[in-house]
């Protein structure tokens, strides 16, 4: 490289993580304008679900008799819903929202002309989705605590489990958004991907109730692992440390796959 | 003196079977204002994206600011300013925030970023709107903000892809004035355009591109001198007219509605046509332009 000309500004020595940190700063600045709305809807959403399903539907279910192993249905379904909500938040951030940043409004196109690399950009993008999910999950946990659901301080770790669940979905679905320009496919992903996973995630009932083939498929989805982790952490049900490690490893593997695919597809989109 | 900001040798870019850039070679001198002129689809933007390091080349050699875009992308980008065809401004932020956030990516501290943002808003004549949302801006203002954004890192070279496309004449002239100011400061400019007047205004030297290849290279004046005559006489005749310019010994280019006659003395040639009994229904004598060069080289007009 030739030497740079004289500048009135000083450019920091490029640090490996520098541009990534600036990317997150940028996202925080964007977030300011929508933060309040996120907190309000992040509180109202869980309240409605927990009241409607946990308390309302739960009044018709005898948790002990049906073998859920919890005091009541709310205790069973609450932690599961938190993981399922993490998936939904990540999915909605990864489709139209991401296409807007990557193509329509092009915020990512402009930052790709800075020292930020595409790999850093995609990693930052997924981290940011994880952060959004974390904020949502922390609120979810607070609402659950209001209902008296958590049984120990381990519950404080559950937003991190939700964060990983969100990053798994965020990376994989954002990779898809980077791959295709066909935004009709986004609605298909929600209807034929996210909603079925929501229903068969083990949030509402143990997946052992499902036919064997379906149960097998349900075990493959990232959301089931997230549901197991959240429930295990919040109500200490059915989760020993080695099982927890397996769930973490599976989520980590999905995140790695999503990051690998996503940075490739983003690079291709941003370079064309 | 620094080495050449851009050296391209047999540079190509293919998307599947489609060859967008077909083995072009050119070099840009430090401080030079260099334009790529050509119609849409000539390969200008693809070249631009290779130079800006975001699009990998298919074959050939490319050196940008002394580095290889494939290996030194981040280091090269830290010294480049890029104005893409789309403004891609962040609608969630104010004008000043747009500039500051962008400056941060280049490792500029918050305080300096703020100072730089104010200075550039002044340069772009947008200082009074520093706290306005981007959405409230007109097309020309957005463009000026995009150019200001490309300058936050005080780049050694600024790339401008079709900088004034879609702008009204007044906005274009204001933009040209700002770009001219940059040029005066010694910043190397590389721009693409399909407006010949833009190339004539801004470029010290240019290449004319067509179908992925460079068909001519030189200063605007030298290209005109080399490929066409000093003046052009535009004449219109009724549809049934039988004027044969060839036998009159006049170099010409017939267009759909008129004929261009290349001549060093437009008025003289017109007078001769009239004395010979070939009085046109209308006529116009003008200086030859890059548009004529493009037409002479490719048989087609730039903007169709």
């Amino acid at each position: 490289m030739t030497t740079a000309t004289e500048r009135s500004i000083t450019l920091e020595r490029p640090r490996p993580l520098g541009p990534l940190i600036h990317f997150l700063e940028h996202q925080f600045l964007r977030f300011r304008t929508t933060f309040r709305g996120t907190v309000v809807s992040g509180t109202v959403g869980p309240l409605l679900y927990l009241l409607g399903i946990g308390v309302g539907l739960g009044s018709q279910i005898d948790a002990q008799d049906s073998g859920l192993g919890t005091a009541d249905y709310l205790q069973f379904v609450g932690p599961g819903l938190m993981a399922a909500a993490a998936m939904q938040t990540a999915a909605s951030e990864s489709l139209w929202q991401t296409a807007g940043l990557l193509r329509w409004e092009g915020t990512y196109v402009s930052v790709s002309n800075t020292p930020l690399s595409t790999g850093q950009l995609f990693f930052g993008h997924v981290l940011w989705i994880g952060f959004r999910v974390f904020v949502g999950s922390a609120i979810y946990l607070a609402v659950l605590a209001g209902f008296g659901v958590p049984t120990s301080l381990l519950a404080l770790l559950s937003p991190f489990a939700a964060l990983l669940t969100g990053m798994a979905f965020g990376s994989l679905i954002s990779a898809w958004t980077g791959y295709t320009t066909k935004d009709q496919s986004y609605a298909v992903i929600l209807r034929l991907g996210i909603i079925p996973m929501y229903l068969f995630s083990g949030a509402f009932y143990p997946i052992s109730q499902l036919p064997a083939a379906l149960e097998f498929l349900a075990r493959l989805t990232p959301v089931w692992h997230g549901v197991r982790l959240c429930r295990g952490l919040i109500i200490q049900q059915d989760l020993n440390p080695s099982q927890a490690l397996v769930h973490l490893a599976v989520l980590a593997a999905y995140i790695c796959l999503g990051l690998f695919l996503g940075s490739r597809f983003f690079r291709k989109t941003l370079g064309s | 003196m620094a080495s050449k900001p851009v050296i391209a040798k047999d540079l190509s870019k293919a998307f599947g079977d489609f060859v967008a850039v077909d083995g072009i070679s050119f070099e840009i001198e430090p401080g030079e204002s260099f334009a790529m002129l050509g119609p849409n689809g000539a390969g200008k933007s693809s070249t631009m994206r290779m130079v800006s390091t975001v699009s990998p080349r298919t074959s050939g050699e490319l050196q940008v600011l002394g580095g290889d875009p494939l290996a030194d992308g981040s280091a090269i980008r830290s010294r480049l300013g890029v104005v893409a065809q789309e403004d891609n401004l962040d609608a969630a932020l104010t004008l000043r925030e747009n500039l500051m956030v962008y400056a941060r990516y280049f490792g500029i501290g918050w305080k300096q970023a703020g100072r730089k943002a104010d200075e550039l808003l002044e340069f772009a004549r947008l200082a009074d709107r520093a706290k306005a949302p981007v959405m409230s801006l007109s097309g020309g203002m957005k463009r000026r903000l995009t150019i200001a954004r490309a300058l936050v890192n005080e780049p050694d070279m600024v790339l401008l892809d079709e900088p004034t496309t879609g702008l009204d004449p007044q906005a274009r002239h204001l933009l040209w004035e700002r770009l001219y100011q940059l040029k005066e400061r010694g910043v190397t400019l590389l721009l693409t355009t399909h407006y010949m007047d833009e190339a004539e205004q801004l470029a010290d030297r240019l290449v004319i591109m067509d179908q992925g290849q460079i068909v001519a290279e030189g200063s605007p004046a030298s290209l005109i001198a080399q490929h066409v005559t000093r003046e052009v006489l535009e004449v219109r005749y009724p549809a049934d007219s039988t004027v044969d310019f060839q036998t009159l010994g006049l170099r010409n280019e017939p267009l759909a509605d008129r004929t261009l006659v290349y001549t060093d003395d437009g008025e003289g040639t017109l007078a001769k046509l009239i004395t010979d009994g070939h009085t046109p229904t209308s006529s116009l004598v003008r200086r030859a332009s890059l548009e004529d060069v493009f037409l002479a080289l490719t048989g087609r007009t730039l903007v169709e």
Side-chain angles (χ1 to χ4, degrees), chain A residues 70 107 134 150 181 187 251:
Chain A
T70 54
T107 304
F134 183 85
T181 51
L251 289 176

Side-chain angles (χ1 to χ4, degrees), chain A residues 55-80:
Chain A
V55 178
L57 181 63
S59 68
Q60 305 300 307
I61 297 167
D62 189 328
Q64 262 110 30
D65 262 14
S66 45
L68 296 175
T70 54
D72 55 25
Y73 186 61
L74 174 65
Q75 237 199 347
F76 179 85
V77 81

Side-chain angles (χ1 to χ4, degrees), chain A residues 1-5 7-12 19 22-23 25-26 29-30 32-33 105-107 109-117 270-272, chain B residues 3 49 52 54-55 65-67 74-79 82 88 90 92-93 97 101-102 104-108 110 112 116 149 152-154 156:
Chain A
M1 302 288 296
T2 53
T3 49
T5 48
R7 287 187 172 80
S8 70
I9 46 162
T10 40
L11 305 180
E12 282 168 21
H22 303 316
F23 177 85
E25 276 172 13
H26 183 177
L29 211 59
R30 292 171 58 86
R32 278 182 329 179
T33 47
E105 293 149 34
T107 304
V109 179
S110 65
V111 300
S112 73
N113 288 317
T114 71
L116 183 78
S117 74
L270 292 168
S272 62
Chain B
S3 68
R49 279 195 288 267
S52 69
V54 296
S55 169
L65 299 174
S74 186
I76 293 171
R77 286 194 298 278
S78 74
R79 296 168 50 204
V82 179
N88 296 327
D90 195 329
L93 306 177
E97 287 169 346
V101 155
Y102 208 71
R104 292 288 295 146
Y105 280 101
F106 292 88
I108 298 166
W110 279 112
Q112 284 197 3
K116 195 75 205 167
R149 185 180 62 183
V152 289
N153 57 330
E154 301 189 354
D156 297 332

Side-chain angles (χ1 to χ4, degrees), chain A:
Chain A
M1 302 288 296
T2 53
T3 49
T5 48
E6 292 255 336
R7 287 187 172 80
S8 70
I9 46 162
T10 40
L11 305 180
E12 282 168 21
R13 269 179 71 86
R15 289 168 306 179
L17 285 181
L20 176 62
I21 289 162
H22 303 316
F23 177 85
L24 295 174
E25 276 172 13
H26 183 177
Q27 297 302 323
F28 268 107
L29 211 59
R30 292 171 58 86
F31 190 45
R32 278 182 329 179
T33 47
T34 52
F35 179 72
R36 212 180 305 175
T38 307
V39 171
V40 171
S41 66
T43 312
V44 172
L47 258 178
L48 290 177
Y49 271 93
L50 292 173
L51 283 173
I53 296 175
V55 178
L57 181 63
S59 68
Q60 305 300 307
I61 297 167
D62 189 328
Q64 262 110 30
D65 262 14
S66 45
L68 296 175
T70 54
D72 55 25
Y73 186 61
L74 174 65
Q75 237 199 347
F76 179 85
V77 81
L81 280 175
M82 175 172 147
M87 167 179 76
Q88 282 182 314
T89 305
S92 74
E93 291 283 319
S94 301
L95 293 167
W96 292 273
Q97 199 90 346
T98 297
L101 292 164
L102 185 62
R103 295 201 181 85
W104 305 329
E105 293 149 34
T107 304
Y108 286 175
V109 179
S110 65
V111 300
S112 73
N113 288 317
T114 71
L116 183 78
S117 74
T118 325
Q120 288 171 330
L121 191 161
F122 191 74
F123 185 52
H125 170 77
V126 173
L127 266 184
W128 179 252
I129 292 176
F131 171 77
R132 295 290 306 265
V133 167
F134 183 85
V135 170
S137 305
I139 298 172
Y140 220 115
L141 183 63
V143 177
L144 280 175
F147 282 98
V149 172
T151 56
S152 94
L153 283 176
L154 270 181
L156 289 174
L157 293 176
S158 61
F160 292 97
L163 178 149
L164 292 177
T165 311
M167 282 179 70
F169 280 99
S171 62
L172 288 165
I173 300 176
S174 296
W176 172 258
T177 305
Y179 174 75
T180 184
T181 51
K182 296 191 181 77
D183 57 330
Q184 308 95 299
S185 68
Y186 303 167
V188 177
I189 286 189
L190 284 186
R191 274 187 216 126
L192 301 182
I194 300 302
I195 291 178
M197 275 193 260
Y198 189 71
L199 296 173
F200 299 101
S201 60
F204 299 98
Y205 49 84
I207 58 168
S208 54
Q209 307 292 313
L210 293 168
L214 257 181
E215 186 190 346
F216 175 73
L217 284 179
R219 279 172 188 275
L220 294 181
T221 64
V223 67
W224 178 71
H225 296 275
V227 166
R228 291 267 306 160
L229 280 170
C230 286
R231 186 174 291 138
L233 289 165
I234 295 173
I235 62 167
Q236 277 72 54
Q237 192 201 43
D238 228 12
L239 185 73
N240 60 43
S242 60
Q243 285 172 324
L245 276 180
V246 171
H247 295 313
L248 288 174
V250 171
L251 289 176
Y254 274 119
I255 294 171
C256 290
L257 176 67
L259 288 175
F260 172 75
L261 294 174
S263 24
R264 287 175 69 104
F265 296 149
F266 266 45
R267 190 167 301 130
K268 200 147 191 199
T269 298
L270 292 168
S272 62

